[in-house]
Amino acid sequence: MRPSDPGTARPDTSVLRLLRPGRRPAAALAAAVAAATALPLAAPQITRRFVDDAIGGASTRHLTLIALAYLGIALAGQAARMVTAWLASRFAWDGTNRLRERLAGHALGLDLAYHGRHTPGEMIERVDGDVVAVADFVVAFLLDVVASVLLLAGVVVIVFGVDWRIGCALLAYCLLIGFGMARAQRLAVPSAARSRAAGAALMGNLEERLAGAEDIRANGAGEHTVRRFHQASAALYRAETADARVGTTLLAGTSVAFALGTAIMIALAAWTLRSGTITVGTAVLLFQYTLMVRTPFERLIDQLRQYQAALAGLARIGGLLAERRTLPAPARPRPLPESGPLGLRVDGAGFAYPDDDEQVLSGITLTLAPGEKLGLVGRTGSGKTTLARLVLRLYDPVEGSVRVGGVDLREADPASLRSRLCVVTQDVRLFGASVRDNLTLFRPSPGDERLREILTGVGLGDWLAALPDGLDTELRGVSAGESQLLAFARAFLADPGLVVLDEASSRLDPGTERRIEHSIDRLLDGRTGVIIAHRLSSLSRVDKIAVLDHGKIIEYGRRADLAADPHSRFGRLLDLAGVRR
Ligand SMILES: Nc1ncnc2c1ncn2[C@@H]1O[C@H](COP(=O)(O)OP(=O)(O)OP(=O)(O)O)[C@@H](O)[C@H]1O
């Protein structure tokens, strides 16, 4: 089940369990809902008394007291409704915050195969938009749906008590309207689901374009981007108008049904009054109760729309929670060696991306002794990054194996894997948080002294000293070079046994270059390294070279041997680049 199949997935019951309030707050809410229902039900009884007593010639004082009682009940009813609203929204937000936390945690735990298929915008819409739709509905459900159904039941019971024939007519009328609404709801769910899916697609589109705004502008792709954005907006507009059309039709249909029902009830009351079985006051009471039926039904139909959105939202939330990692957890996890550099052994590894038949890696075999460095060279799209992803177990190979520190990664303990392997890429993600949090990635800090030492080590000592609040300064406007250096600082903090380094392909100023080169040397010292090399000069520090082409290793050996071989591809690459062999 994919979360993108709105409306077809069944809401996960654990989603609803997360929304459930505690026992005490639930009891308080139930009491408030009961009061908010019972008090309005009592009002027509007072009107009946007032009318009958007035016709019977009661004193003004007596009538005034009845009117005051009416006023008191009306005020108390409103107060009960306010308390219900307050309690309902509090519980809804408590519950949805729990749900949001669970969803965000779950989404972050899913592997790259999932995130490759879904844009961040789509995830935001799921974790925020859908959750808000559910929260809105929970408030509305408690406030309007439950209270309305109770009010309807109360009205029918009371009217039955007054005259069973009118009671039967009212019950039949309510059942007919209820049945009609249930049918209409089934018609409306798919259009609401389509509208939310179109909203998610638009958000995804927008997020992606905003993230790449610089590239879009630099490459003059603005017009094309706007056109695509316009297409996504138009799709949303169409879905929203179709959804609104369904809603308006439903509302118009019920208005006609209400008018008809009220006319029938008034005719019945007039007929009973004529036959002398009820008083004028009771006829007014019946009329009032008939009118009272309208509001709960209107609220219900109104809520139906939120219900549709919530149902579609719940289905997608359930779908997201049902997504499992595609990388199976090992039955008996084996930890990697706790310290020292880690050896690497790739044996006949092949790989194809999920949903893609074409294999992008095949027959990859290589070994690195602990502490050795490997340079991966190859044209763009030859599979260097993919191979690095297998080494980090972001994906599992479809054939062959990858062993780090003697442990097959499929059997390795995930926690030990994350603490002993580290990747530094050219695409550094920094967060709008303090320097400290950006280094520790929000984990407990090893102490400011250590953080300062690491930053100074990567050449960011002066940069840190110039920050107004030191490690507490919120990161803003960091240059590309500083970002790279911060990424190295993160790696030093992690102190891994194997480092995968995706070298920055763009040139930086010579000063920063020097600091980065120095950091790379220090980071690789005493550690095993896999370097995706974009510059041949940086391959001077590696022990072995693997040249990739179309997902296969076409040349592999010790760097010194390959450089000395006049016929080697690596040697020719060095010659072409004018680098000494
Ligand atoms: N997430 C993905 N889903 C599907 N195919 C992918 C994915 N990432 C890469 N590929 C494909 O796998 C092949 C190898 O890509 P990879 O990024 O590993 O090459 P590379 O050598 O690292 O390229 P570059 O030097 O440009 O980074 C390419 O054909 C690419 O289109």
Side-chain angles (χ1 to χ4, degrees), residues 353 356 360 379-386 389 395 534:
Y353 279 99
D356 204 345
V360 293
R379 263 181 277 199
T380 177
S382 55
K384 304 178 296 288
T385 308
T386 308
R389 285 175 176 158
Y395 293 97
H534 295 283

Side-chain angles (χ1 to χ4, degrees), residues 45 86 229 270 273 377 437 499 543:
Q45 304 287 351
W86 180 72
F229 183 68
L273 181 66
V377 195
D437 286 341
V499 181
D543 304 290

Side-chain angles (χ1 to χ4, degrees), residues 206-491:
L206 186 62
E207 200 274 346
E208 208 174 80
R209 302 304 182 274
L210 285 179
E214 207 172 312
D215 287 345
I216 289 171
R217 209 171 300 159
N219 292 299
E223 210 172 300
H224 167 73
T225 307
V226 169
R227 194 165 53 242
R228 294 298 286 269
F229 183 68
H230 178 75
Q231 283 164 354
S233 310
L236 177 63
Y237 171 74
R238 279 194 297 274
E240 288 271 346
T241 32
D243 189 33
R245 217 176 305 131
V246 173
T248 333
T249 315
L250 286 184
L251 210 63
T254 37
S255 282
V256 172
F258 284 132
L260 217 66
T262 315
I264 294 170
M265 292 305 287
I266 291 174
L268 277 176
W271 170 70
T272 335
L273 181 66
R274 263 221 198 142
S275 64
T277 29
I278 57 168
T279 61
V280 177
T282 310
V284 172
L285 170 132
L286 288 174
F287 175 62
Q288 275 196 315
Y289 276 130
T290 311
L291 286 186
M292 275 176 83
V293 166
R294 184 177 178 142
T295 318
F297 268 122
E298 271 177 357
R299 278 197 196 134
L300 282 176
I301 200 158
D302 217 32
Q303 287 325 311
L304 220 56
R305 303 193 59 67
Q306 285 203 27
Y307 166 70
Q308 291 144 22
L311 204 67
L314 269 182
R316 279 191 301 261
I317 290 170
L320 174 54
L321 286 177
E323 284 284 344
R324 291 282 160 255
R325 289 181 62 103
T326 46
L327 300 179
R332 243 170 286 128
R334 290 178 58 196
L336 300 185
E338 267 174 37
S339 58
L342 298 166
L344 169 71
R345 189 185 167 91
V346 183
D347 238 334
F351 180 73
Y353 279 99
D355 304 328
D356 204 345
D357 296 335
E358 208 184 325
Q359 212 155 305
V360 293
L361 286 180
S362 52
I364 304 288
T365 298
L366 47 89
T367 18
L368 282 185
E372 273 190 331
K373 281 78 171 150
L374 169 78
L376 285 177
V377 195
R379 263 181 277 199
T380 177
S382 55
K384 304 178 296 288
T385 308
T386 308
L387 178 55
R389 285 175 176 158
L390 296 191
V391 171
L392 293 161
R393 207 198 173 204
L394 295 174
Y395 293 97
D396 276 341
V398 291
E399 57 192 29
S401 65
V402 179
R403 303 173 83 85
V404 172
V407 180
D408 188 321
L409 289 185
R410 280 172 291 218
E411 293 165 12
D413 171 27
S416 118
L417 198 94
R418 293 290 154 246
S419 70
R420 301 274 19 241
L421 304 190
C422 174
V423 58
V424 181
T425 67
Q426 34 181 323
D427 183 21
V428 186
R429 291 277 156 199
L430 295 174
F431 302 96
S434 66
V435 175
R436 185 185 298 101
D437 286 341
N438 268 287
L439 287 181
T440 60
L441 295 175
F442 307 93
R443 286 183 289 235
S445 166
D448 287 357
E449 216 27 65
R450 173 94 186 104
L451 297 183
R452 274 192 210 102
E453 192 182 295
I454 287 175
L455 283 174
T456 311
V458 296
L460 285 175
D462 292 342
W463 172 81
L464 177 67
L467 293 178
D469 298 315
L471 290 166
D472 290 315
T473 313
E474 192 170 321
L475 267 193
R476 244 185 230 134
V478 181
S479 75
E482 286 158 357
S483 302
Q484 273 291 314
L485 292 169
L486 280 167
F488 282 112
R490 273 179 188 164

